[in-house]
Amino acid sequence: MGLLIDGHWCQAASGATRTITCPADGHVVGSVPEAGEVDTVRAIEAARRAFDSTSWRTTSSLERSRLLLAVADRLESETQTVAAAESADTGKRLVESRYDVADVVSCFRYFAGLIPKDSGRVIDTGNPTTISRVQHEPVGVCGLITPWNYPLLQASWKVAPALAAGCTFVLKPSELTPHTSILLMQYLVDAGMPAGVGNLVLGAGPTAGAPLSSHPDIDMVSFTGGLATGRRIMEAASATVKKVALELGGKNPNIVFADADWDAAVDNALTAVFLHSGQVCSAGARLIVEESIHDDFVDALVEAAEGIRLGGPYDEKAQTGALISAAHRDKIADYVAKALKEGATLRCGGREPDGHADGFFYLPTILDGCTASMTCVQEESFGPVLTVETFRTEAEATAIANDTYYGLAGGVWTSDASKAQRVANALRHGTIWINDFHPYLPQAEWGGFKQSGVGRELGAQGFGEYLETKHVYQNLDPKPSGWFDVSAKEAR
Ligand code: NAD
């Protein structure tokens, strides 16, 4: 198994392969085909044929719903296999991968339930001899490109609504984490997905991925990943005016007021930033704390952060796992070094832990004394690094939290419900948590303001991204309009 093109599992045309190793301990997980441009173009052509020349796009919503439900059931019954594959590729703890699989199952079930509810709408034209109907149709052939931090979850947020809508697709997961996408495609094939409807290519972004944003046969590209790649994809897609959906990075503020529940705020400030070692697009990596509680709050965080245990997927004592690669670990180390040069104060971490020589780990790190003008506050580290800023007034807190070119998510901690609502309304971020951090629901739209993205995933709008809207107007009693007075001209 490797590439899935037009219903057939195949190797790359070049015969090239890539070895996948576990970032937590370096063991070889497997070897997969490394697609090149030629393989991706073949996959795009297969998806185009399946969309244009088969009955897939007009299958009933109930039939598509059945496919999604069957895959959800299969994923649920194979949770252990899927979670183990995810942990091997990403180095994350098995318990986290199991949560991820449960979320994937919910995603497929949510979209399965949503499809039959979309029957368009009839418009009252005020004229009984005309019918006006607005209907939704699949957008067409979709290029789906996903990152390595939540490989199967990010794929499911795209694959499930694309299939629900009646689209065909080519999925390209991160080259670092291919195995759960292979399993997902196998489960879809087993559940009856017709040949060519869903295709899988594996390989590097600039080669295997690039045609998905430039090829004229792609109607829509949906991308989750970094800002720089997102810009490139948007630019490439502009040549053929593709529909573009982008889920990009974030530098997410977590505002803590002095009247917040202390224990909950401390505990969740840690989870906000250090979950999955900070490799979360919505990580609360930017603590903005009221000046009057700053010293005690940061002391409490430092004490707790120093106790966080790191370890591999099967280390039951571990509380968070590995970073994806040596290159990513080194990028985080550079980010911290730069922050210190900018004047930040290192309160804890700032180095690799002892005793994990076979894997890629970095200690939970807290940088105090930061301000919005510092690079470390503006740029995403995508690692276990918290920057700390302070405020005195509510207005100052929201202004600081909005001082970013990102706008993905943010948290507010206060026991004053009116203040919480005022701040939530003032923040220009796509998700706001009040007295919580991280929960999301498949029913609620997910996505970013500003440079965190374009469009939404999940929810009704996440489904709508994969639909075109068509207005059909029918005249049941056609007559000459008389606009150009054609009959008078004939008489002359
Ligand atoms: P990345 O941008 O390096 O890669 C993402 C995907 O794009 C990979 O599959 C990669 O191979 C592919 N790619 C790279 N160059 C390409 C090109 N020229 N054409 C087509 N495809 C190309 O991102 P990453 O390092 O895998 O993921 C981390 C980033 O993802 C972070 O910035 C994170 O915030 C973001 N992210 C965002 C969300 C969200 O919901 N907003 C969720 C998860 C991750």
Side-chain angles (χ1 to χ4, degrees):
M1 286 208 285
L3 315 183
L4 179 68
I5 301 180
D6 211 7
H8 302 288
W9 290 103
C10 55
Q11 298 300 312
S14 67
T17 57
R18 177 188 291 262
T19 301
I20 307 296
T21 52
C22 176
D25 55 21
H27 83 268
V28 173
V29 180
S31 168
V32 294
E34 174 78 6
E37 193 179 331
V38 62
D39 302 293
T40 304
V41 169
R42 254 191 350 110
I44 293 170
E45 288 168 354
R48 186 81 254 167
R49 275 194 305 279
F51 189 79
D52 291 342
S53 317
T54 75
S55 59
W56 167 251
R57 70 186 156 121
T58 54
T59 47
S60 73
S61 55
L62 288 174
E63 179 55 25
R64 281 179 270 130
S65 187
R66 188 208 60 77
L67 175 69
L68 298 193
L69 290 173
V71 168
D73 290 349
R74 178 81 181 273
L75 285 159
E76 191 168 50
S77 68
E78 310 248 1
T79 295
Q80 183 59 25
T81 305
V82 181
E86 195 77 306
S87 283
D89 278 3
T90 60
K92 74 170 74 169
R93 295 179 310 140
L94 189 67
V95 62
E96 291 184 41
S97 294
R98 292 178 67 91
Y99 283 128
D100 294 351
V101 178
D103 284 355
V104 170
V105 170
S106 300
C107 172
F108 273 92
R109 290 196 176 134
Y110 168 68
F111 283 109
L114 196 64
I115 324 171
K117 298 195 181 93
D118 180 48
S119 50
R121 69 185 199 276
V122 174
I123 293 175
D124 178 8
T125 63
N127 177 351
T129 63
T130 62
I131 297 174
S132 165
R133 197 175 72 243
V134 172
Q135 64 193 41
H136 294 130
E137 298 181 5
V139 77
V141 180
C142 303
L144 311 178
I145 306 172
T146 52
W148 46 259
N149 59 336
Y150 288 89
L152 187 62
L153 190 64
Q154 299 301 337
S156 74
W157 287 15
K158 301 182 192 305
V159 167
L163 288 173
C167 295
T168 62
F169 68 84
V170 179
L171 169 66
K172 197 212 79 69
S174 166
E175 57 275 30
L176 303 175
T177 53
H179 284 104
T180 49
S181 292
I182 297 174
L183 285 174
L184 172 64
M185 297 305 281
Q186 181 61 55
Y187 297 168
L188 283 166
V189 170
D190 293 348
M193 179 179 69
V197 166
N199 302 273
L200 175 71
V201 292
L202 308 173
T207 46
L212 297 178
S213 52
S214 61
H215 196 286
D217 279 344
I218 293 277
D219 297 300
M220 168 180 172
V221 56
S222 175
F223 167 79
T224 301
L227 176 56
T229 318
R231 286 187 183 130
R232 266 197 292 280
I233 283 173
M234 202 171 188
E235 200 178 333
S238 72
T240 45
V241 195
K242 293 185 197 318
K243 188 168 180 183
V244 176
L246 302 174
E247 293 291 338
L248 308 176
K251 188 71 190 191
N252 311 290
N254 188 19
I255 303 173
V256 180
F257 286 94
D259 61 3
D261 178 308
W262 182 268
D263 292 342
V266 169
D267 181 86
N268 282 279
L270 291 170
T271 320
V273 62
F274 296 131
L275 179 77
H276 193 14
S277 290
Q279 301 167 115
V280 182
C281 52
S282 52
R286 208 183 155 190
L287 177 68
I288 301 170
V289 60
E290 192 158 348
E291 198 177 74
S292 58
I293 59 164
H294 164 273
D295 293 357
D296 290 345
F297 197 82
V298 176
D299 285 350
L301 287 183
V302 169
E303 191 186 339
E306 284 178 334
I308 292 176
R309 291 188 297 270
L310 308 178
Y314 297 94
D315 178 346
E316 287 185 359
K317 290 196 180 134
Q319 294 168 305
T320 192
L323 300 171
I324 191 67
S325 63
H328 189 51
R329 180 200 56 204
D330 295 348
K331 201 183 113 197
I332 292 163
D334 284 351
Y335 172 96
V336 171
K338 246 195 250 166
L340 299 181
K341 268 200 199 133
E342 280 184 299
T345 306
L346 182 67
R347 290 294 313 270
C348 64
R351 63 176 177 84
E352 293 169 43
D354 303 323
H356 290 282
D358 294 335
F360 313 122
F361 290 86
Y362 199 81
L363 287 172
T365 298
I366 298 180
L367 298 170
D368 201 359
C370 300
T371 61
S373 61
M374 292 162 76
T375 318
C376 62
V377 170
Q378 290 296 328
E379 287 182 2
E380 187 187 38
S381 77
F382 217 51
V385 184
L386 181 69
T387 62
V388 184
E389 299 158 79
T390 53
F391 68 90
R392 287 191 186 154
T393 65
E394 182 184 321
E396 198 187 351
T398 53
I400 293 172
N402 280 334
D403 188 354
T404 164
Y405 49 85
Y406 285 117
L408 188 59
V412 187
W413 291 85
T414 173
S415 53
D416 177 340
S418 323
K419 182 160 68 179
Q421 287 297 324
R422 281 195 306 272
V423 173
N425 290 335
L427 292 179
R428 299 206 63 235
H429 297 264
T431 295
I432 305 297
W433 291 291
I434 297 172
N435 295 333
D436 214 324
F437 214 99
H438 281 318
Y440 80 93
L441 303 168
Q443 300 92 325
E445 279 73 5
W446 176 267
F449 284 35
K450 301 196 257 182
Q451 295 188 41
S452 282
V454 175
R456 289 293 179 272
E457 295 200 296
L458 304 179
Q461 199 181 334
F463 181 41
E465 298 287 345
Y466 293 88
L467 295 170
E468 277 288 11
T469 302
K470 183 185 278 177
H471 177 208
V472 179
Y473 180 97
Q474 184 174 7
N475 190 341
L476 300 168
D477 184 20
K479 291 191 179 67
S481 72
W483 187 268
F484 291 112
D485 203 8
V486 178
S487 53
K489 274 185 203 148
E490 277 168 2
R492 279 199 295 272

